[in-house]
Structures are given as C-alpha cells and as structure tokens.
Amino acid sequence: MTILTPTLMSGKEVYPLVEGGKGIAVSTGQSAGAWAAAGGIGTFSAVNADAYDAQGNLIPVFYNGRTRRERHHELISYAIKGGISQAKVAHEMANGNGRIHMNVLWEMGAVEPILHGILSQVKELVHGVTCGAGMPYKLAEICSHYRVFYYPIVSSARAFSILWKRAYNRFTEYLGGIVYEDPWLAGGHNGLSNTENPAIPEPPYDRVRELRKAMVEVGMAATPIIMAGGVWWLSEWQDWINNPEIGPIAFQFGTRPLLTQESTISPAWKQKLLTLKEGDIYLNKFSPTGFYSSAVENSFLRDLKGRSERQIPFTSEAVGDHTESLAIGARGRVVYVTAHDKESALKWIHQGFTQAMRTPDSTLVFVTPESEQTILRDQIDCMGCLSACKFSNWAQNEAGTTGRKADPRSFCIQKTLQSVSHGGDPEHELLFSGHQAYRFATDPFYANGNIPTVKQLVDRILTGY
C-alpha cells in the first residue's frame, strides 16, 4: 500500500495519525504523550480530567456545594486543574516529538471558561484543540486568542459550512483541520441529524468528498481532513490516500489506543474489549445530551432499554381511550391509561417494577424501588457537567433548568463515566466504543491477549495492518 508520509499539522510535520479524544479520565496525558512520542498527534481529554498534586498523587473529587450551581463552580475548578495536569504529563512524555492536542465537548458544562482556564496556563504545551458534540462557534476565537490550532468535529459538509459562515471565516490562520466523525462508525456521541436514519449508514467516502468540496469553495483545499470512525487497518483506506477528491487526509484512532500498555483503563475493561463480537456495539439515544451515542451492550444499557420498554402514556383525567384508573406512587394518586396499558403495568408491578416514574412526555416508566432511589439521588446530586441535561433538567442559564421535567429514562453521565474510568465494573457502567471494537478479538496483532505499547501500535498502523 501507499505509505503515509509526514504532514504539516499544528505547526510541525508529523505522521497524520491522530489519537481520538475520549472524555472523563480515559484519554490521559500518559497515552497522548506516548502517541506524540511515536511521531503522531496525541490527544488528552479535558472533560473532567484527573488532576494530580505536587507529589503526583491523584486529587480526589468531592462536591461540597449544597446547590447545583455551587457544585457546578466546583466542577469548573476541578476541570481546569485536571486539564493542566494532563497537559503537563503529555508534554513531558512526548519529549519534544509529535504534537499534543486537547479534546473538549462543546455541550459540556462551562466549556468556555474551562478552555480559557487551561489554555491560559499551558498554551505552550498544547498545540491544538479538538471539539465536537455541538456547534462550537466560539472555538475559533478562543483558540486563535491563545495562538493554538483548532480542529472542529463535524459529521457533514453542511455542518462545516454553517460553522464557516458564522465564525470560522474570521479565524482562518489557526484552523488546523476538520475532523470528520462518521455518525454510524465512531464511538461516543454521534452527530446524526434529524434527516438521517441511524439504521441506514451512508458511505463515509461520499460524505467526506462533499466536505472537501465545501472546504475548497472557501479556500481550504490544503487544510487536512481527519477521518474519524471505522478506521482499523490503513490498507482498507488505500484509495483515500493521495486522492485529489479527498485532498490532504489524516486518520484518527479512538478505540485502538484503549488497548495499550499506556492506557489507564482497568484490566477488566481491556479484557472486555478483547472479547467483543460484531453487533455488541450499537447506537442508542439514552444519553442525557439528547444525541445518539455508540456504546457496548452490557447490563447498563440493557437496564436503560428496559426502562423505556416498560413505558406507557397516561392522562390526569379520563380522556378518549384512557378510561382505566391506575393508582401510582406512595400516595396512590390516580392516573388514567388504556385497558391494554393497564394490563402491561400490572404485569410489570407483579415482576417487581413497582415504581412508576413520570417522564417529560406524559408517560410512566416502571422501575424497581432500588432503581427509583438511585435515579432520584443522581438527579439531586447533579453538578452541571453538561450545558443542558435532560436527565436532571439542569441548564446553564439564569434559571438553572431546561424548563422540562427531569427524565428517568436517561442517566447521570458524569457518574458512570467517572466510575468506569476509575476501575468500576465495565458490565454495569457505560462503555463508549467505536463500531470496529469487535476486531480486537480477531486481529492477529492482539493474539493471545497481546497488549502493545503505544509505540508498537503506531508502528503497526504504519504498516497498513
């Protein structure tokens, strides 16, 4: 195959191989620094990253605020300290090689003050910022202020064009590249629009070709596109390299760096990756962000799926075919449902799902008493990790709320991701994953449970396999 050659990115010639950012203490400075040391672009996550004290000990995270807003300010402080810590670790491990990027989510809580807080302290150590999960209009202005390259994550040519017209056309000097994150192949949150069917994937080549056309029209023909999602062997992407329709191209690997010696995820999580089968990763819409996301099927996702399946509409008065009364809650408050739905509700109650929780859509979901207590506690403990959360109804506005009821069909994303990244059981926590993760089990590079170093992985990727 055609061998990848070094490409100018973020001010330096590097291999056009990018480590994809994974939030909440998963993409660390240790992994990012090792990837950069191998000659590529390493990415650490600044989404509530771990921070260390002067002795290198992990600083535990405790929230003492009595209100959501108080805890939100604590979260900002922790996030800034964590981002600074990870940048320093990555810089030291890179030893002057490659480039170091930082990943944030535009829909994370307080992304702008967190960006300012980190970059104002470590702009010499960070060469680029990648950002997705939303439309990051202000990203260009913030990064340009600190003379750091920015890499917006989009899933369509249309998204790029909107960002360009609204903001990026004024900050072209530091537009380092465009990350195309395929919504059907990438792990984590995905940028599916309302017109796209999650069950019918579209070929990435056609979508990236349209993205390049949009970039050429505004003078960005030489700006790299970073293909993210579904990349495993470069030999499978041979026709993308040196292709004039695609133009300068780099490849992002988000899932494969998880299974390296420098990766800090737990041994149990690594073992889980080695045993996945095709079909074990799927798109779901349980995320409190409202976006689709790609994750490994396990008990955690099955529980969420079960909540939504044990769901019926109700009215507060007898209306239409909602003629059957149903007493719910400790006070036995009566609501009205259809005869068929009442039969289903009584069956679920008999199975132990005795608690009916109201959703913002005038439906009831049936859960166990233990689940209800966990859901309510997690909603109360919210610290505003997102700009808007449908699970807790927190929002970054004066009211501090989305204006809708909290939704028990979702979950506290901060809690589960913090847990699994610090040794929690991967069967009972959320496991984001790209759709190619099942290939760990069949790729000969990982035979007999082999877990490579990052350098070994990068060298292997450069061979095409």
Side-chain angles (χ1 to χ4, degrees), residues 384-460:
C385 72
L386 300 173
S387 62
C389 176
K390 70 178 187 179
F391 174 67
S392 69
N393 87 351
W394 155 269
Q396 280 182 210
N397 53 33
E398 290 186 9
T401 174
T402 61
R404 304 192 79 207
K405 292 179 180 178
D407 194 335
R409 295 167 295 187
S410 189
F411 59 94
C412 177
I413 195 166
Q414 171 80 199
K415 175 186 173 183
T416 184
L417 293 181
Q418 283 285 3
S419 176
V420 75
S421 65
H422 293 96
D425 185 350
E427 183 60 32
H428 298 288
E429 305 292 354
L430 178 66
L431 287 186
F432 281 143
S433 175
H435 287 252
Q436 298 287 301
Y438 71 91
R439 295 179 69 171
F440 282 123
T442 57
D443 189 326
F445 187 53
Y446 302 95
N448 302 314
N450 174 58
I451 297 179
T453 65
V454 166
K455 178 66 164 60
Q456 289 169 337
L457 174 59
V458 171
D459 288 346
R460 176 75 173 197

Side-chain angles (χ1 to χ4, degrees), residues 154 156-164 175 178 211 214-215 218 220:
V154 302
S156 67
R158 179 176 177 272
F160 165 75
S161 296
I162 293 171
L163 289 167
W164 176 266
L175 179 53
I178 304 297
L211 172 58
M215 293 170 67
V218 296
M220 294 286 110

Side-chain angles (χ1 to χ4, degrees), residues 72 98 175 192 210 214 266 332 335 361 378 412 436 449 460:
H72 180 64
L175 179 53
L192 282 164
E210 291 306 306
S266 69
V335 297
D361 302 317
D378 289 347
C412 177
Q436 298 287 301
R460 176 75 173 197

